[in-house]
Amino acid sequence: MLWTSELVLALLPFAAFNVASPTSRPRDKFDWSSKRSLIAFGDSYTYVQGTHGHQNYSFIGDQLDFSYDAQTLLSNKIVQNQTATAEGGPNWVEYLTKCGLKPGMTSPRTCSKQLWDFAFAGADISTEYTPLHHNYTVSLVNQITQFKTYAAPVLQTFLPPSKSLIAIWIGINDVGDSSKYTVDFPTFYGNLTRTLFTSVNELYDLGYRSYLLMNLPPLDRTPGNQATSTPHPNATQVAWYNDALVTKAELFGKEKGDVEVRVFDAHARLSAMLDEPAKYGIVNTTNFCAGYNQPDIDTDYKAYGCPTSLDTYFWFNSGHMTSHVHRILAEELEDWLKE
Ligand SMILES: *[C@@H]1O[C@H](CO)[C@@H](O)[C@H](O)[C@H]1NC(C)=O
Ligand SMILES: *[C@@H]1O[C@H](CO)[C@@H](O)[C@H](O)[C@H]1NC(C)=O
Ligand SMILES: *[C@@H]1O[C@H](CO)[C@@H](O)[C@H](O)[C@H]1NC(C)=O
Ligand SMILES: *[C@@H]1O[C@H](CO)[C@@H](O)[C@H](O)[C@H]1NC(C)=O
Ligand SMILES: *[C@@H]1O[C@H](CO)[C@@H](O)[C@H](O)[C@H]1NC(C)=O
Ligand SMILES: *[C@@H]1O[C@H](CO)[C@@H](O)[C@H](O)[C@H]1NC(C)=O
């Protein structure tokens, strides 16, 4: 169990704790049941394909096509098909919101929990620390700048910040790209996460007060890393980054005083799946299916040397989890939000 701050609890409305009151009801985390949207930032684990996005990378725009108008944003649709996420099917934000889950196109505005997803595949936090994967990659810092400039003024006309939960899953590419740096890693990850929260502060200034951060998966256990005695990143690096994230999240919460910021321990949940896969309908944790991106993979997996179907694999490819794993993670996250 990660951080459940007394500070956060102390900030809840008095009525929520007035146990004597007959009308009092326990409130779920972030008041999730009353939220009308999830606004997401991050990398390939989180991105969804948009009809106005960069194919295989984004919902809308890219670094070289940075601006968009209200019409483009509001007419944009989430695409759902085999190539519309980095996991061959729906990902965690789609399972959590149930927005864009069905094959084809979905306008976020038609969902009861609207998914507005500004994550960009391949993103790191900032070019201050690691280079862009491509010249069109939108870093986390720039995703937030872009959101602030072009999306927030439009979305806030019908989605007040109080009805929105901000969700951020980032750091996966950062720790990978920097794993061989010669730096003091705990300090470096402290710097990365400080920059992350400097950017989150811009969302605070826009009025957002609810923040869900996902910590790093066990990236030391990707198929490639399992096969070597010198994984990059290794378990220590992943743990250092995750410690830095919790520290900075707590600090942000204390400095602001009026925010709810929580870190979901995705690392623990995903490690549990890798440790006891059978409990989760998973049989393969060591490898990925070579034909993962083939159009007929759902039915013809054996043709690609895969003894079992893709949804029995933990890993979709060398660095991404399957849609099956995303579904389980989202279910666990939803339960946690309601705890
Ligand atoms: C997107 O990915 C698919 C499948 O991996 C590939 O066939 C397609 O060419 C890619 N599109 C772009 C624009 O890179
Ligand atoms: C997914 O949808 C996009 C947008 O319509 C399309 O470009 C792409 O070819 C589709 N991919 C598959 C596998 O159907
Ligand atoms: C982006 O990179 C591509 C491929 O490296 C290059 O052809 C293109 O000119 C670059 N665009 C800009 C605006 O730098
Ligand atoms: C961390 O940031 C501090 C302050 O900007 C800088 O002096 C230091 O060199 C950075 N250290 C690492 C390892 O990135
Ligand atoms: C992981 O890598 C870091 C940085 O190179 C190193 O300090 C640490 O000892 C390594 N941990 C393990 C378990 O190998
Ligand atoms: C795991 O997947 C790999 C690659 O598809 C395959 O060679 C291996 O036999 C699978 N292992 C199990 C236990 O199914």
Side-chain angles (χ1 to χ4, degrees):
M1 187 72 188
L2 269 161
W3 183 59
T4 46
S5 167
E6 284 152 40
L7 181 77
V8 168
L9 298 176
L11 290 164
L12 296 178
F14 175 70
F17 285 94
N18 187 356
V19 286
S21 158
T23 57
S24 73
R25 224 178 292 133
R27 207 196 68 159
D28 54 29
K29 295 187 180 77
F30 303 111
D31 211 357
W32 173 239
S33 57
S34 80
K35 292 284 191 260
R36 282 167 41 211
S37 82
L38 187 80
I39 298 175
F41 301 95
D43 52 37
S44 57
Y45 279 38
T46 303
Y47 109 90
V48 298
Q49 182 69 58
T51 48
H52 296 313
H54 188 123
Q55 198 180 11
N56 301 339
Y57 291 91
S58 73
F59 174 65
I60 191 162
D62 63 39
Q63 185 62 37
L64 304 175
D65 181 17
F66 202 66
S67 67
Y68 48 82
D69 59 18
Q71 165 64 17
T72 306
L73 179 65
L74 296 179
S75 64
N76 199 9
K77 293 191 169 71
I78 298 170
V79 178
Q80 187 58 259
N81 66 28
Q82 199 197 349
T83 57
T85 68
E87 20 286 325
N91 65 17
W92 71 286
V93 285
E94 294 172 322
Y95 282 121
L96 180 64
T97 57
K98 289 145 192 95
C99 188
L101 266 186
K102 67 175 195 307
M105 324 270 185
T106 301
S107 165
R109 293 192 75 174
T110 63
C111 301
S112 56
K113 286 210 196 296
Q114 301 182 21
L115 173 61
W116 293 98
D117 190 338
F118 303 95
F120 199 98
D124 291 66
I125 292 170
S126 164
T127 52
E128 195 181 337
Y129 305 104
T130 47
L132 294 179
H133 286 193
H134 301 101
N135 56 10
Y136 50 81
T137 305
V138 186
S139 68
L140 187 280
V141 162
N142 284 342
Q143 286 167 32
I144 290 178
T145 301
Q146 193 183 30
F147 171 80
K148 183 170 96 175
T149 315
Y150 306 111
V154 178
L155 296 183
Q156 290 194 0
T157 62
F158 59 95
L159 274 177
S162 62
K163 293 290 179 190
S164 305
L165 173 61
I166 303 284
I168 303 176
W169 201 351
I170 194 72
I172 294 144
N173 292 311
D174 303 73
V175 294
D177 296 352
S178 64
S179 68
K180 296 183 183 174
Y181 282 14
T182 48
V183 291
D184 177 62
F185 281 101
T187 309
F188 179 69
Y189 299 145
N191 286 359
L192 277 176
T193 49
R194 189 181 59 235
T195 299
L196 168 60
F197 278 94
T198 300
S199 210
V200 168
N201 193 52
E202 296 186 41
L203 299 172
Y204 179 88
D205 289 341
L206 292 169
Y208 297 97
R209 295 293 180 267
S210 302
Y211 298 93
L212 166 67
L213 281 299
M214 305 286 278
N215 70 358
L216 292 183
L219 295 170
D220 52 296
R221 296 173 76 176
T222 59
N225 277 337
Q226 287 183 44
T228 169
S229 58
T230 53
H232 289 287
N234 66 29
T236 317
Q237 289 172 309
V238 171
W240 279 335
Y241 180 93
N242 283 347
D243 286 347
L245 181 66
V246 169
T247 301
K248 291 300 194 297
E250 283 183 7
L251 190 65
F252 182 72
K254 284 185 185 130
E255 277 173 7
K256 296 303 180 193
D258 62 348
V259 297
E260 189 179 2
V261 48
R262 293 173 187 269
V263 180
F264 180 70
D265 197 351
H267 184 276
R269 307 303 181 120
L270 295 167
S271 298
M273 291 183 217
L274 285 167
D275 292 342
E276 295 187 86
K279 277 192 184 170
Y280 304 90
I282 296 167
V283 302
N284 204 317
T285 58
T286 54
N287 225 313
F288 64 88
C289 173
Y292 70 91
N293 60 357
Q294 297 302 310
D296 60 347
I297 188 64
D298 282 346
T299 48
D300 287 346
Y301 48 88
K302 289 206 166 97
Y304 304 97
C306 310
T308 58
S309 66
L310 215 56
D311 64 1
T312 65
Y313 279 69
F314 181 90
W315 295 106
F316 175 64
N317 57 22
S318 60
H320 297 95
M321 289 119 27
T322 54
S323 182
H324 175 78
V325 169
H326 275 253
R327 183 175 58 73
I328 298 167
L329 188 67
E331 282 168 8
E332 295 192 350
L333 172 57
E334 191 171 9
D335 289 345
W336 176 83
L337 289 169
K338 290 174 178 166
E339 248 168 36

